[in-house]
Amino acid sequence: MFPIVRLIKDLLIARRMPPLEMTGTHVSNHICWPWDLDFWLELNNGRAMTLYDLGRTMTAQRVGLIRAIRQRRWGMTMAGSTVRFRRRIRGFERFEMRSRAVCWDDKFIYLEQSMWKRNGECASHVMFRSAVTGDNGIVPPTEVLREMGYEGATSPMMPEWLAAWCAADALRPWPPMQEKLV
């Protein structure tokens, strides 16, 4: 179940925070509740992705994306992701989430998020390729940024590892090949 109460709480918190630059880092604090746990009593990987949704929503609120989407009646979607889990987050453990836009190209805005344990260890890191959609498909990021008040903003340079991920993902067959079961 999607954590609606957490989402409302986080949006209210984000609304009271100062605006954030497009590539600024939003920091939020969270607790791993019992309903976030898997069989091994640690943060479930699916729930981690849902919590990342909350961090992106708060970031979108602070950079002005939510306002732009509502005004233009656009939607927002994820067009790809890659995640790396490295440390467990256990029940009732507090952690910090960091969310930011890294760069953009002609179609997508690339978002980076990470969860950090209190001891300073990075528990997980995820990279998202996101798109804003309208009646005619994907809305170019330049138009989205203009609507957000960032007229003429130029993207920071795409990190080499991110460009490599994009190139590798472009080689992936779509639709996936159907294997025959014997």
Side-chain angles (χ1 to χ4, degrees), residues 151-169:
E151 179 79 41
T154 58
S155 174
M157 181 95 106
M158 184 178 285
E160 185 178 332
W161 68 269
L162 180 53
W165 173 62
C166 292
D169 196 58

Side-chain angles (χ1 to χ4, degrees), residues 1 6 31-48 51 88-95:
M1 174 183 263
R6 275 178 164 165
I31 298 173
C32 181
W33 294 110
W35 43 87
D36 298 329
L37 300 175
D38 63 15
F39 185 74
W40 293 273
L41 303 178
E42 61 189 53
L43 180 61
N44 175 280
N45 63 331
R47 180 59 96 173
L51 294 176
R88 291 181 172 98
I89 295 178
R90 301 210 183 261
F92 299 104
E93 191 172 346
R94 295 175 181 273
F95 60 94

Side-chain angles (χ1 to χ4, degrees), residues 83-155:
V83 64
R84 182 180 282 177
F85 293 102
R86 289 295 181 261
R87 298 285 180 262
R88 291 181 172 98
I89 295 178
R90 301 210 183 261
F92 299 104
E93 191 172 346
R94 295 175 181 273
F95 60 94
E96 179 181 278
M97 185 186 309
R98 301 174 191 169
S99 308
R100 72 183 185 109
V102 175
C103 58
W104 53 89
D105 58 23
D106 61 328
K107 288 184 181 177
F108 304 112
I109 299 173
Y110 297 89
L111 308 169
E112 175 182 42
Q113 293 183 277
S114 54
M115 291 181 183
W116 295 80
K117 295 169 69 76
R118 293 290 179 188
N119 66 5
E121 288 183 302
C122 185
S124 64
H125 177 255
V126 65
M127 195 73 214
F128 290 98
R129 176 188 297 121
S130 67
V132 173
T133 58
D135 291 338
N136 298 318
I138 293 177
V139 179
T142 52
E143 185 177 342
V144 175
L145 274 90
R146 183 172 50 250
E147 189 68 30
M148 292 169 57
Y150 296 103
E151 179 79 41
T154 58
S155 174

